[in-house]
Amino acid sequence: MKNIALLGATGSIGEQTIDVIRQHKDQFSLFALAFGRNSQKAIPMIREFQPEIVVVGSEQVRNEVAEATGHASIFIGEEGMKAASTAAEVDVLVNAVMGSVGLPSTLAAIRAQKTIAIANKETLVTAGHIVMAEAEKYNTPLIPVDSEHSAIFQALNGERQEDVRRLIITASGGSFRDNSREELEGVTVRDALNHPNWSMGAKITIDSASMMNKGLEVIEAHWLFDMPYDKIHVLQHRESVIHSLVEFKDKSVMAQLGSPDMRVPIQYALTYPKRLSFDDTESLELEELSKLNFQKMDMERFRCLKLAFDAGRAGGSMPTVLNAANEQAVAMFLEEEISFLDIETLVEKSLQEHKSVSTPSLSDIMEIDKETRERVKRYVK
Ligand SMILES: NC(=O)c1ccc[n+]([C@@H]2O[C@H](COP(=O)([O-])OP(=O)(O)OC[C@H]3O[C@@H](n4cnc5c(N)ncnc54)[C@H](OP(=O)(O)O)[C@@H]3O)[C@@H](O)[C@H]2O)c1
């Protein structure tokens, strides 16, 4: 029996993690659950799983949850998430919060030597050098949840790092894959939230439409697999059936395939190195697919992908700025305060005006993250 601490329980990955736990109640127990505001979703989860620790985003939400469930151990905010992630009883932390707010809990869990199933890619983008150094120091495993990184992790299983020629990350192309740049001028939030293959949280769906999500994944792959940027490629693949590939130096290519269902990589992250059966997902019947499509990525069309590669290569505090500017800009787009194309403009301007710090400390990162968000707000004003 593994005790799970789940951060971001009310989100898309969170709910799917709950579903995996529900299907294997003899294997997993939900020990701790954290979320921000959505008590309507969280209250039935708390009633069903009776977690020992509950963490919420505010005093008001704590009162709502306490009244509805009678739960005695409800904590608030960052300190609560860190306590939930490091409790002695916890075996695996699933970090599925959205944004760099997940960083302190990841670091705390690494130091407490908890296995971490990492969905929260912003943690690695904003502070990859610190997270990976701490993981190595404390010998803490980080198991990817993102389907692309799970695919690469599986393809690399048992292989030697020096035998890898390149990683190939696939990209569905997001909501606007068939639109020209001119056609992106007037797109609405509703258009952008209409992803062709995956049902995900709002921020990652917008990031998929702008291709920033792929850019964040490139930086995530750089850190998780210790791979230089020149060895990371992105390939457009509409069907999201091949989740990613690894080419080795003998030109042999290993790919991981499956029907698009995030519960599969989530479950694998919880069971690694074993596998459990999963009856509730579709088998991939290749004969039912008439063909699979592949296309070279156009870096001018998908400008955010280029910005992410550039920021990753520049290193230092540039990825922190990329991430913070993007989080702020996407939040403003979702509030209809800016247009879709303003997202890339604001990210680019923030990167251009930032004076990079070569090896930022955690406090530098927190400060730069905050400053960048403020700067983006000022640009918009
Ligand atoms: N969705 C996917 O298929 C997918 C795939 C691969 C990777 N990921 C990554 O997984 C992460 C989560 O994505 P998602 O799509 O599941 O996001 P989401 O649906 O927006 O859910 C985000 C979760 O984080 C919680 N949260 C946000 N801010 C918080 C705060 N300050 N304190 C505590 N909790 C907070 C939210 O709580 P409330 O809603 O209750 O406020 C919610 O439970 C992201 O890093 C994303 O890139 C997602």
Side-chain angles (χ1 to χ4, degrees):
M1 193 65 139
K2 283 185 184 171
N3 279 329
I4 313 282
L6 172 59
L7 309 185
T10 49
S12 159
I13 294 290
E15 283 193 283
Q16 295 179 86
T17 305
I18 292 277
D19 199 31
V20 169
I21 296 173
R22 188 180 285 120
Q23 299 202 27
H24 299 290
K25 281 192 167 161
D26 55 333
Q27 303 279 336
F28 306 123
S29 163
L30 187 64
F31 181 82
L33 171 158
F35 69 101
R37 292 178 294 196
N38 196 337
S39 48
Q40 289 230 9
K41 263 193 198 165
I43 287 167
M45 292 174 181
I46 296 166
R47 288 193 178 126
E48 179 181 353
F49 291 94
Q50 304 282 326
E52 295 286 324
I53 300 177
V54 172
V55 185
V56 301
S58 68
E59 188 78 43
Q60 187 200 331
V61 178
R62 174 163 71 180
N63 295 340
E64 280 167 31
V65 174
E67 194 174 318
T69 64
H71 201 290
S73 300
I74 306 180
F75 299 87
I76 298 178
E78 184 180 311
E79 288 310 312
M81 290 204 283
K82 286 203 275 191
S85 308
T86 56
E89 295 86 343
V90 168
D91 298 302
V92 183
L93 166 67
V94 180
N95 191 341
V97 296
M98 190 283 287
S100 57
V101 68
L103 175 61
S105 304
T106 301
L107 288 173
I110 288 174
R111 291 170 188 148
Q113 294 183 304
K114 306 296 182 187
T115 296
I116 303 175
I118 184 98
N120 175 236
K121 67 189 73 166
E122 293 89 351
T123 277
L124 280 163
V125 173
T126 197
H129 62 294
I130 297 176
V131 172
M132 295 317 286
E134 290 291 281
E136 196 176 337
K137 179 171 165 194
Y138 289 91
N139 198 19
T140 300
L142 287 178
I143 317 285
V145 166
D146 232 325
S147 58
E148 294 81 356
H149 302 73
S150 178
I152 293 169
F153 183 71
Q154 292 175 62
L156 287 173
N157 207 351
E159 301 288 348
R160 299 183 317 163
Q161 172 86 359
E162 62 266 36
D163 290 342
V164 176
R165 185 159 181 268
R166 57 182 178 146
L167 309 181
I168 304 166
I169 301 179
T170 53
S172 69
S175 319
F176 301 135
R177 62 191 180 191
D178 297 320
N179 296 71
S180 66
R181 275 192 76 81
E182 293 67 49
E183 286 168 334
L184 295 181
E185 296 282 346
V187 294
T188 64
V189 172
R190 207 186 147 118
D191 298 330
L193 286 176
N194 186 21
H195 194 285
N197 300 358
W198 301 95
S199 163
M200 308 182 288
K203 191 253 178 187
I204 185 176
T205 307
I206 302 304
D207 284 349
S208 300
S210 70
M211 208 48 75
M212 181 60 89
N213 183 49
K214 218 39 63 178
L216 301 179
E217 287 178 7
V218 166
I219 301 175
E220 184 184 10
H222 164 77
W223 290 115
L224 275 179
F225 306 115
D226 190 20
M227 202 54 61
Y229 286 99
D230 290 345
K231 288 186 166 191
I232 305 175
H233 293 243
V234 178
L235 178 70
Q236 193 166 331
H237 164 48
R238 302 177 73 86
E239 294 83 2
S240 301
V241 163
I242 299 182
H243 298 309
S244 278
L245 314 91
V246 177
E247 185 183 14
F248 295 93
K249 63 184 180 192
D250 59 1
K251 312 283 165 66
S252 169
V253 178
M254 301 271 272
Q256 190 261 344
L257 288 75
S259 302
D261 184 340
M262 277 309 297
R263 294 173 305 168
V264 177
I266 292 170
Q267 178 170 299
Y268 187 65
L270 295 182
T271 62
Y272 174 79
K274 295 185 191 159
R275 291 182 188 266
L276 280 180
S277 58
F278 195 173
D279 300 332
D280 195 35
T281 195
E282 299 279 307
S283 255
L284 178 64
E285 306 295 353
L286 282 173
E287 69 274 17
E288 286 172 14
L289 293 169
S290 56
K291 64 174 176 183
L292 294 176
N293 291 280
F294 303 97
Q295 208 177 327
K296 196 170 180 309
M297 293 303 304
D298 177 346
M299 291 286 188
E300 285 312 311
R301 159 74 181 75
F302 295 112
R303 189 126 188 89
C304 285
L305 180 58
K306 179 167 185 323
L307 293 176
F309 262 109
D310 290 348
R313 284 195 173 101
S317 50
M318 296 308 258
T320 303
V321 171
L322 176 94
N323 182 65
N326 182 60
E327 280 191 33
Q328 184 60 44
V330 172
M332 292 175 120
F333 172 67
L334 285 167
E335 292 295 323
E336 300 183 340
E337 291 169 21
I338 61 172
S339 75
F340 180 71
L341 287 175
D342 285 341
I343 297 173
E344 63 183 42
T345 308
L346 289 165
V347 173
E348 186 159 17
K349 200 164 154 60
S350 304
L351 288 166
Q352 277 166 355
E353 293 187 4
H354 176 65
K355 201 164 172 301
S356 186
V357 178
S358 61
T359 315
S361 65
L362 191 57
S363 62
D364 292 335
I365 287 171
M366 299 296 200
E367 191 56 36
I368 291 167
D369 182 293
K370 204 167 136 218
E371 270 173 26
T372 305
R373 289 170 201 257
E374 291 305 320
R375 190 178 309 151
V376 169
K377 285 186 208 162
R378 279 201 305 276
Y379 291 152
V380 173
K381 264 193 197 154

